[in-house]
Amino acid sequence: MKHTISVLVENHAGVLARVAGLFARRAYNIDSLAVGVTADENVSRITIVADGDDYILEQILKQLNKLIDVIKVRAVNESELLTRELVLVKVNCTPAQRSELISIAKITEAKISDISLNTITLELSDYSNKIKTFEELLRPYGIKEIVRTGTVAIQRGSASLTI
Amino acid sequence: MSENIMTVARAMVECLKAEGVKHVFGYPGAAICPFYDELISSDIEHILVRHEVNGGHAASGYARMTGKAGVCIATSGPGALNLITAIATAYMDSIPIVAITGQVNSDQIGRDVFQEADITGSAEPFVKHSYIVKDPSSICDIIKKAFYIAETGRPGPVLIDVPMDVQDMECEFFYPEKVEIRSYKPTTEGNKLQIKRVADAILKADRPLICAGGGVFLSGAKDELKQLVHICNIPVINTMMGLSNIDMSDELYFGMMGMHGVKAANYAVSHCDLLILLGARMGDRAVVALKDLKNTTIIHIDIDPAEIGKNVEVTTPVVGDIKKILTQLLAVIREEKHTEWINELSEIRSSSETVPETRKDAVNPKQFIQTLNSHIEKDAVIVADVGSNQIWTANNIRLTEGRFLTAGGMGTMGYSLPAAIGAKKACPDRQVVALCGDGSMQMQFMELATAVQHGINVKLVVFVNNYLGMVRELQDKLYSRQIAVDITGSPCFDMIAQAYGIKAENVTDISQADQAIRNMLSSDRPYLLQVFVDKEEKSII
């Protein structure tokens, strides 16, 4: 089962290595990981999507909490979360195919970020499954390159994770 | 210029003094020179070990006896790397140590210069926390935090890596009185509702059992444990790390549990209806005793929430400091008897206790240890190494007010002599006897020089059978063959001792044990007994 875990950490050198090392040495699986500074520049937020049963999730949360640089850890139910990933896809695109691809972009609410004689680069920010569908739509045209971020997540409604 | 302006190296020494450090264990080298230069002219005693790992083990033995963080020092690169095994050993046993390492100059870090190693990176899996000092003005704050983190909550090792150029920089010395780390706030008080649940469970139980681990020492809760055991008449057993946290001659004490434990203790675990795990992390060697439990109520009391539910499924978790929790618990419990249960266990204990037989042409090590029991002072410190010698000692030593030390979690061979040296520096008035095998002896005997140089009166018993005995047992049992366990070709350890100027005796027959032990313990200098034990003697009872 997939879990989305938000971790607030001190914004020091080496903290990411500590968090990533913990997952590696205790054999927890990371699906994706995203890091960025928060509104407080001394604090970074790491969003981890991890795979495992309830026992593993409990262990991950407890072990993360033991790291001295970890300020807060929270795992929130999928249904209470707003999640986003960003993807950039460079697709083969002959001048004749342009209108087709532009209409795919329109329907999926992707942005056309770059265009050349034979390629088009589309940008989409959405939740994980939507991005998967988007990729499948583009695959028949020939994907030259795809770049995807890890998931970032924020709680729906007024609840928030701050220090 | 203010008198508080000084080099980082000097400030490090001032911080140690402010922290109350009296002894440190280490091995110098180029990258830690500035610090050593200041250390040697201070009144902190530096014990020069003969290998960095032993500086770590000595600091660990020291910490186990004082309850304060032990300090060990090494230089950059190989020196620091040699410390890792000791750091990991302390980590597994939750022992507070502060390890200080030199690092190459900060502008050279990352260029693979001479004796450069990423020690904070390498030691990361085995430390509670680590620092690399880049800003000279941060040194005092870092050292204060290092001791605080090492000693509070679940204790553990903290590493401070200081580049050589930073040691020479100037800073203002100011040792903070208090520490505030927003992300580190260990829970010490037990939750009242949970304490009530524990008290109710004790009241309800007909066959309660306490399994007391190393956490009882770490929180200084021996007295509270004894009170609980006697007020409620609850039988008590130990994990290996918990050995000697209760008087072993106590009628309610039933020995060590687990794979290498005794019958009475393991019977108690599988027949109790309430099991209270007290500062025991239930490592796999201990947990084998729990595999058949079905309807047992299990209460787990530990300062580290991550240990609760990790290896054993628990009915009631209680997070906090054991001393505080037991104090809270003692206020709400009432007297109980459990006579039937205690009688049942006492019967198992007396029927399963065997008197070790005298062997021809060699010594039965169990018999030797039982002989040792009648000579040691009641508060003696016994340090067991790793292997058969450890199990023989664990199951045969009888300590009343003494202390048993061993590398229980990591099982690090070569631990006993350096740890004994550290323990003796911590408690110079107590007898300290290390027991090891001929395998572990050869991983540590360079430390005989340390004992001689610093006049540290430790006693060493070496059990010789020319085997790595415990591995041999495993290979016999699992693979029906013996491979690479024969260590014939080992030296005469009495002659090794004599080469260091240490008096030594050989014990080839149990009839010589009494006098030899007497000679060893009455000497005011280090002493070695080489005991030739029966090659076939197994570790299990």
Side-chain angles (χ1 to χ4, degrees):
Chain A
M1 201 181 139
K2 305 260 184 261
H3 305 280
T4 307
I5 303 159
S6 297
V7 193
L8 294 181
V9 298
E10 296 289 350
N11 188 7
H12 292 159
V15 178
L16 181 61
R18 285 191 166 125
V19 171
L22 172 69
F23 275 76
R25 70 174 173 269
R26 294 201 181 262
Y28 306 143
N29 292 318
I30 298 185
D31 277 16
S32 85
L33 186 147
V35 200
V37 74
T38 62
D40 176 349
E41 62 177 25
N42 297 313
V43 179
S44 291
R45 183 176 180 128
I46 304 178
T47 310
I48 300 168
V49 179
D51 198 9
D53 56 21
D54 289 347
Y55 166 80
I56 295 286
L57 176 65
E58 187 185 328
Q59 280 295 309
I60 291 175
L61 300 180
K62 284 175 165 179
Q63 294 294 345
L64 278 171
N65 259 317
K66 280 177 71 170
L67 294 178
I68 306 289
D69 285 330
V70 168
I71 307 166
K72 261 188 194 170
V73 185
R74 190 178 292 170
V76 179
N77 276 341
E78 198 87 359
S79 59
E80 293 162 37
L81 274 181
L82 191 63
T83 64
R84 286 291 178 272
E85 284 174 39
L86 176 72
V87 67
L88 295 168
V89 195
K90 190 175 284 182
V91 193
N92 289 326
C93 176
T94 61
Q97 291 171 314
R98 261 181 212 151
S99 56
E100 264 178 60
L101 280 158
I102 289 168
S103 82
I104 288 177
K106 234 180 206 161
I107 295 161
T108 54
E109 293 183 332
K111 197 171 141 194
I112 298 153
S113 297
D114 189 38
I115 192 155
S116 73
L117 192 59
N118 291 313
T119 63
I120 188 166
T121 301
L122 303 177
E123 174 186 333
L124 178 66
S125 157
D126 215 321
Y127 59 91
S128 199
N129 279 346
K130 268 285 196 55
I131 286 177
K132 219 165 135 192
T133 314
F134 181 60
E135 268 180 55
E136 274 156 21
L137 279 171
L138 298 177
R139 203 172 303 277
Y141 299 90
I143 294 176
K144 278 180 74 78
E145 195 176 357
I146 187 158
V147 184
R148 203 167 153 176
T149 65
T151 301
V152 292
I154 199 163
Q155 277 167 274
R156 292 180 188 277
S158 59
S160 64
L161 180 65
T162 50
I163 55 162
Chain B
M1 197 165 74
S2 154
E3 60 180 37
N4 283 340
I5 304 292
M6 57 182 75
T7 62
V8 166
R10 170 84 191 282
M12 288 162 74
V13 174
E14 293 301 323
C15 287
L16 295 182
K17 280 158 69 178
E19 197 57 50
V21 173
K22 301 275 188 296
H23 306 98
V24 295
F25 305 87
Y27 203 97
I32 192 73
C33 266
F35 171 68
Y36 260 94
D37 190 51
E38 293 292 344
L39 179 69
I40 297 310
S41 54
S42 79
D43 51 10
I44 295 175
E45 189 187 353
H46 175 254
I47 314 296
L48 176 67
V49 291
R50 296 306 193 263
H51 187 293
E52 290 88 350
V53 72
N54 298 323
H57 290 323
S60 153
Y62 189 83
R64 285 174 208 239
M65 295 314 296
T66 58
K68 287 272 295 167
V71 178
C72 54
I73 304 152
T75 190
S76 67
L81 292 170
N82 277 341
L83 262 186
I84 288 185
T85 307
I87 290 175
T89 303
Y91 184 70
M92 284 289 255
D93 291 345
S94 314
I95 305 304
I97 60 175
V98 171
I100 297 172
T101 53
Q103 180 55 278
V104 301
N105 286 338
S106 39
D107 60 347
Q108 292 181 313
I109 289 176
R111 299 185 190 201
D112 301 321
V113 297
F114 179 66
Q115 289 196 331
E116 180 185 357
D118 170 14
I119 189 62
T120 48
S122 329
E124 171 56 25
F126 316 113
V127 292
K128 190 168 169 187
H129 198 52
S130 61
Y131 294 95
I132 175 155
V133 183
K134 289 176 176 163
D135 172 7
S137 69
S138 67
I139 187 71
C140 301
D141 195 45
I142 284 178
I143 293 184
K144 179 74 188 175
K145 282 180 178 166
F147 276 90
Y148 175 69
I149 291 170
E151 289 172 355
T152 55
R154 176 180 181 176
V158 178
L159 172 72
I160 308 172
D161 195 30
V162 195
M164 193 177 176
D165 58 330
V166 175
Q167 294 170 48
D168 280 326
M169 290 178 191
E170 281 194 336
C171 68
E172 187 178 0
F173 171 73
F174 174 76
Y175 202 61
E177 271 181 27
K178 278 176 71 181
V179 183
E180 175 63 32
I181 305 171
R182 62 176 166 185
S183 53
Y184 176 68
K185 304 243 185 304
T187 308
T188 56
E189 298 283 342
N191 178 298
K192 280 198 182 109
L193 192 68
Q194 295 299 84
I195 303 267
K196 174 85 177 40
R197 288 198 171 121
V198 176
D200 289 347
I202 293 176
L203 201 63
K204 236 177 84 185
D206 294 321
R207 306 158 77 86
L209 179 69
I210 292 174
C211 167
V216 173
F217 290 118
L218 297 167
S219 94
K222 274 177 73 173
D223 290 344
E224 290 76 5
L225 169 63
K226 192 175 167 187
Q227 284 182 52
L228 175 65
V229 165
H230 284 280
I231 294 171
C232 297
N233 275 298
I234 306 177
V236 56
I237 58 172
N238 278 144
T239 61
M240 184 174 277
M241 285 305 297
L243 284 173
S244 77
N245 63 20
I246 188 124
D247 179 347
M248 292 176 176
S249 63
D250 195 306
E251 273 304 303
L252 292 175
Y253 176 67
F254 292 91
M256 182 174 80
M257 71 181 297
M259 185 189 279
H260 300 286
V262 298
K263 191 178 171 189
N266 286 331
Y267 177 93
V269 173
S270 50
H271 290 79
C272 64
D273 61 0
L274 169 68
L275 178 59
I276 303 173
L277 305 171
L278 199 61
R281 67 181 176 86
M282 290 292 112
D284 59 306
R285 293 298 202 260
V287 100
V288 288
L290 274 66
K291 66 182 192 310
D292 297 326
L293 296 191
K294 285 190 183 76
N295 298 316
T296 314
T297 303
I298 302 181
I299 292 167
H300 199 165
I301 304 174
D302 203 290
I303 193 138
D304 181 0
E307 288 303 340
I308 300 178
K310 189 175 87 178
N311 299 336
V312 177
E313 233 179 285
V314 168
T315 326
T316 308
V318 190
V319 177
D321 176 73
I322 290 172
K323 193 184 178 78
K324 287 192 176 170
I325 289 172
L326 290 186
T327 308
Q328 288 170 277
L329 191 58
L330 286 169
V332 292
I333 49 158
R334 62 173 202 216
E335 284 183 36
E336 287 179 57
K337 289 272 179 265
H338 306 121
T339 318
E340 216 171 294
W341 170 230
I342 292 166
N343 288 346
E344 181 181 336
L345 292 180
S346 305
E347 221 158 274
I348 302 276
R349 179 176 54 196
S350 48
S351 67
S352 59
E353 262 175 357
T354 51
V355 179
E357 300 157 8
T358 302
R359 300 287 153 79
K360 268 188 195 158
D361 306 322
V363 176
N364 181 339
K366 295 164 187 167
Q367 205 173 16
F368 180 87
I369 294 164
Q370 294 190 358
T371 310
L372 183 64
N373 285 334
S374 51
H375 292 280
I376 52 173
E377 286 169 8
K378 61 181 178 184
D379 67 346
V381 179
I382 298 291
V383 192
D385 215 284
V386 168
S388 302
N389 66 84
Q390 183 183 28
I391 309 302
W392 293 332
T393 310
N395 284 327
N396 291 282
I397 200 79
R398 284 291 166 268
L399 296 168
T400 51
E401 292 163 34
R403 178 73 194 264
F404 179 81
L405 302 179
T406 198
M410 191 51 86
T412 310
M413 284 173 71
Y415 164 85
S416 59
L417 178 57
I421 286 172
K424 186 68 183 178
K425 283 313 286 185
C427 326
D429 298 332
R430 291 169 76 168
Q431 279 178 342
V432 178
V433 184
L435 298 98
C436 68
D438 42 0
S440 41
M441 176 62 179
Q442 290 176 79
M443 291 199 187
Q444 61 187 342
F445 71 68
M446 71 289 260
E447 296 309 324
L448 291 172
T450 309
V452 171
Q453 182 185 2
H454 296 277
I456 304 168
N457 181 9
V458 288
K459 313 301 183 188
L460 186 60
V461 174
V462 188
F463 293 121
V464 176
N465 57 6
N466 284 312
Y467 271 133
L468 302 175
M470 185 171 266
V471 187
R472 189 199 63 176
E473 273 179 67
L474 276 175
Q475 290 186 335
D476 276 356
K477 207 169 155 188
L478 299 178
Y479 308 100
S480 317
R481 61 185 182 216
Q482 297 172 16
I483 297 169
V485 291
D486 186 327
I487 50 169
T488 312
S490 302
C492 303
F493 299 111
D494 56 327
M495 291 175 76
I496 293 279
Q498 282 154 16
Y500 284 98
I502 290 176
K503 196 146 189 232
E505 271 183 71
N506 290 326
V507 179
T508 53
D509 188 280
I510 194 68
S511 63
Q512 305 160 335
D514 217 54
Q515 191 55 48
I517 291 169
R518 228 182 272 275
N519 296 343
M520 171 175 81
L521 294 178
S522 62
S523 162
D524 57 1
R525 306 202 49 214
Y527 209 100
L528 183 144
L529 291 188
Q530 176 169 235
V531 183
F532 293 91
V533 301
D534 190 333
K535 288 173 91 79
E536 300 306 319
E537 193 60 46
K538 291 191 164 39
S539 59
I540 43 174
I541 285 193

